[in-house]
Amino acid sequence: MTALTLYNTPLSGHGHRVKLLLSMLDLPYEEVEAGAEIRKTARFLALNPQGQVPVLVDGETVIVDSNAILLWLVKRYAPESHWLPKDLLQEVEVHRWLAKAAGEIRYGVASARLIKQFSTPENYASACAVAAKFLPQMEQHLAGKRWLAGEQATLADLACYAYVACAPEGGIALTDYPAIQQWLQNVEALPGFVGLTPLPHPEVA
């Protein structure tokens, strides 16, 4: 197996989803911290012109975008695993939640966390509005279910976990969402789970 190198930062939820899968697949890798200054260097920009983490280097192949990395790792190293179901309907459902991780989750709870914790110049009212619409939908979807797509954990769960779990770090409470809270616990109980470094909670919305 070729050497895997993950360029990441410790507090990145996007990077965390990749670390979760690497751990759960028991794949050895080297993690290189790529802080803001490193991401501006010509060497890093040659890997990802957008200057963003995570970036996975697998031999001569460079993969950017966290969800794309998840798909690469499963297809290359665990093609028969439950992480991306063979059943077409379940696979489509996984992709639907990957899209939500990049859409409603990124511009809802993740945006709120970026603003509260890192003073990122995004719109907090908009982030809260997106979260207020999405979280009840996610709660309803998870009612009576252990996982987002199918009967086993999939890439959908790994992609959506970190920023939803960290919603309180953006001032968005999860106390009204018991099914989401149970789902978070289900993910945390998976073999190979690794946590994301916690940050202090600001006043909740």
Side-chain angles (χ1 to χ4, degrees):
M1 187 174 66
T2 56
L4 297 172
T5 302
L6 176 66
Y7 291 84
N8 189 32
T9 58
L11 296 174
S12 169
H14 286 78
H16 181 259
R17 65 186 65 162
V18 175
K19 291 181 66 173
L20 276 179
L21 183 60
L22 286 165
S23 177
M24 291 177 184
L25 294 181
D26 196 25
L27 293 173
Y29 68 99
E30 177 188 5
E31 185 172 10
V32 176
E33 186 166 344
E37 292 306 313
I38 292 175
R39 297 198 302 272
K40 296 174 184 176
T41 63
R43 183 172 179 271
F44 187 88
L45 292 171
L47 297 174
N48 184 1
Q50 291 183 304
Q52 297 174 342
V53 292
V55 175
L56 181 76
V57 179
D58 186 349
E60 299 299 315
T61 304
V62 178
I63 310 293
V64 302
D65 182 90
S66 58
N67 289 346
I69 294 171
L70 295 181
L71 292 169
W72 172 268
L73 289 172
V74 165
K75 291 280 192 177
R76 181 163 166 78
Y77 295 106
E80 302 303 318
S81 70
H82 57 85
W83 296 108
L84 188 63
K86 294 295 185 184
D87 177 82
L88 179 58
L89 186 59
Q90 290 186 14
E91 182 181 354
V92 167
E93 186 73 354
V94 169
H95 284 283
R96 186 170 78 90
W97 283 97
L98 292 180
K100 289 184 179 298
E104 292 99 317
I105 290 175
R106 163 60 184 89
Y107 294 102
V109 288
S111 178
R113 177 176 177 264
L114 284 170
I115 295 164
K116 288 291 188 180
Q117 299 291 341
F118 308 107
S119 301
T120 302
E122 298 186 8
N123 187 312
Y124 189 70
S126 174
C128 289
V130 171
K133 182 177 180 180
F134 172 73
L135 289 174
Q137 295 172 351
M138 189 180 198
E139 174 75 11
Q140 183 177 21
H141 175 80
L142 281 167
K145 296 186 178 74
R146 284 185 58 80
W147 309 109
L148 289 172
E151 299 301 315
Q152 297 186 78
T154 66
L155 295 182
D157 302 290
L158 304 189
C160 293
Y161 168 81
Y163 289 124
V164 174
C166 293
E169 296 178 4
I172 296 174
L174 296 175
T175 50
D176 292 335
Y177 305 111
I180 290 176
Q181 292 181 65
Q182 181 58 58
W183 166 73
L184 293 173
Q185 293 177 25
N186 295 341
V187 175
E188 290 160 6
L190 288 169
F193 176 82
V194 290
L196 185 62
T197 302
L199 295 169
H201 294 186
E203 183 179 348
V204 298

